[in-house]
């Protein structure tokens, strides 16, 4: 079992930055790939970024490539999402997830409760 708790969301102006954190409990954290997804009310959940268990591979949605960076610290059981050059269209609830990896949400086994990110124009 892996339990995930996101933090770091908030309100920021366009062009600003935020860093999201996702703290995991459970001994198997380091064996899971981690992903970040986001969802706007009334829309489907959207893949944002993923990182392999060893941090050797990272993947990004085209919409965030070059602006967002995913990283993880297995010693701290934490995964991060550094978000720079934020745009109003980045406004969403952001979720972290643990599982085998990839950009397809149903592949992931564990999910956090989400943290709200709001970008004002």
């Amino acid at each position: 079992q892996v339990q995930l708790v996101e933090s770091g969301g908030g309100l920021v102006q366009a062009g600003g930055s935020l860093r999201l954190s996702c703290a995991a409990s459970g001994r198997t954290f380091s064996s899971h790939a981690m992903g970040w997804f986001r969802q706007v009310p009334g829309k489907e959940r959207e893949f944002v970024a993923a990182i392999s268990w060893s941090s050797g591979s990272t993947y990004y949605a085209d919409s965030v490539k070059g602006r967002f960076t995913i990283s993880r610290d297995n010693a701290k059981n934490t995964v991060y999402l550094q978000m720079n050059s934020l745009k109003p269209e980045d406004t969403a609830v952001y979720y972290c997830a643990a599982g085998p990896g990839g950009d397809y949400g149903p592949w992931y086994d564990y999910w956090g409760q989400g943290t709200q990110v709001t970008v004002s124009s």
Side-chain angles (χ1 to χ4, degrees):
Q1 276 281 24
V2 177
Q3 294 182 329
L4 305 172
V5 179
E6 302 96 334
S7 61
L11 174 64
V12 64
Q13 288 188 335
S17 298
L18 281 175
R19 189 175 82 154
L20 304 183
S21 299
C22 174
S25 62
R27 297 181 181 179
T28 61
F29 170 77
S30 61
S31 65
H32 288 83
M34 298 295 296
W36 285 97
F37 292 78
R38 65 188 182 187
Q39 190 168 23
V40 175
K43 293 189 176 182
E44 290 189 358
R45 183 173 51 198
E46 176 188 24
F47 169 75
V48 175
I51 187 167
S52 63
W53 68 271
S54 66
S55 302
S57 298
T58 56
Y59 310 90
Y60 297 94
D62 288 342
S63 59
V64 307
K65 204 170 292 183
R67 300 188 298 121
F68 291 10
T69 303
I70 188 171
S71 62
R72 67 189 294 167
D73 185 338
N74 287 341
K76 296 183 178 179
N77 279 9
T78 302
V79 63
Y80 306 97
L81 186 68
Q82 178 67 43
M83 306 186 295
N84 299 328
S85 302
L86 282 161
K87 304 175 181 180
E89 51 263 43
D90 294 318
T91 296
V93 177
Y94 283 71
Y95 300 89
C96 71
D103 61 359
Y104 186 54
W107 288 340
Y108 288 78
D109 303 304
Y110 306 101
W111 292 84
Q113 84 289 348
T115 186
Q116 176 71 45
V117 172
T118 303
V119 184
S120 63
S121 57

